[in-house]
Amino acid sequence: MADANTKKPQRTAPPEIRRKQLIDATITSISQNGIPGTTMTTVTRLAGLSLGLVNFHFKNKDTLLEETLRFLAEEHRNHWAKKIAKPGLSAAQKVNAIIDAQFHPHICSRKKLTVWFAFFGEAAYRTSYRSITTRIDAERLGVLEDLFQQIISDGDSEGVDASGVASTLEGLFDGFWLNMLMYPVKFTRADAVTQLRTYLATTFPSHFQRDSAV
């Protein structure tokens, strides 16, 4: 029986729509049941689709889980990459755009944060987690390093290590996501962004403001 909040999809939807329905249902299932409690049956029930259809698109649970993680990783990557591709942005504005994308409600909703940390904490899937996310994380880290190097070259905070600042920011991203998941009332997206900009304003006072975007 389909979830009460899930509309029964049309029988003739294109394959890409079916895959997206199943991935969305997997995200919901993991957020509700964890990875061990997520099965092909829980996913099809939430999606309102048949077990045969999910087996047609994903040969087994592992494939479905890996494709779900890949979808989240690519969605995340495409969001910040699109933000910094806007013409005319300064290096500092691009850094702020990455921060805004990192904590956009569509990217770090409580449901999606639950899924990210479910994969991170499940020993059986850590290898898949690393293989899917390493390239994307390394790309963002490299972009941040280049942006901070541009800021330093502009004469702000000479002697600061661009690589160190970028790595610190990446660590704060992960830590703040965990804070948001564990303490949703006490620690919000706005809190995360404010603290990140305070750190950057302290490190690069000529390029960042404490409480607002450049």
Side-chain angles (χ1 to χ4, degrees), residues 72 76 101-104 107-109 112-113 116-117 129 140 171-183 187 189 192:
L72 289 175
H76 184 197
Q102 184 77 17
F103 294 96
H104 190 281
I107 297 299
C108 65
S109 66
K112 290 181 180 178
L113 289 180
W116 277 112
F117 283 102
Y129 181 96
R140 187 178 58 251
L172 291 172
F173 287 165
D174 290 341
F176 288 167
W177 269 16
L178 181 59
N179 278 354
M180 289 168 56
L181 179 63
M182 298 297 294
Y183 311 106
F187 196 84
R189 286 188 294 270

Side-chain angles (χ1 to χ4, degrees), residues 154-182:
D154 284 343
D156 197 353
S157 301
E158 291 185 13
V160 171
D161 177 25
S163 177
V165 176
S167 295
T168 298
L169 211 63
E170 287 288 320
L172 291 172
F173 287 165
D174 290 341
F176 288 167
W177 269 16
L178 181 59
N179 278 354
M180 289 168 56
L181 179 63
M182 298 297 294

Side-chain angles (χ1 to χ4, degrees), residues 19-32 34 38-39 42-43 46-47 54 58 61 64-65 68 115 119:
R19 287 177 63 88
K20 179 62 166 53
Q21 289 170 343
L22 291 166
I23 286 172
D24 287 343
T26 304
I27 291 170
T28 299
S29 180
I30 294 173
S31 72
Q32 294 176 352
T38 292
T39 65
T42 65
V43 170
L46 287 166
V54 70
F58 304 98
K61 174 182 170 178
L64 176 58
L65 292 176
T68 298
V115 175
F119 276 104

Side-chain angles (χ1 to χ4, degrees), residues 40-80:
M40 301 294 251
T41 300
T42 65
V43 170
T44 54
R45 176 179 57 80
L46 287 166
L49 299 172
S50 69
L51 187 59
L53 194 57
V54 70
N55 286 326
F56 174 78
H57 289 285
F58 304 98
K59 63 181 181 180
N60 52 42
K61 174 182 170 178
D62 286 344
T63 302
L64 176 58
L65 292 176
E66 289 178 8
E67 288 303 311
T68 298
L69 179 59
R70 184 172 287 106
F71 167 82
L72 289 175
E74 292 289 350
E75 177 187 56
H76 184 197
R77 187 264 172 197
N78 291 340
H79 193 75
W80 66 257

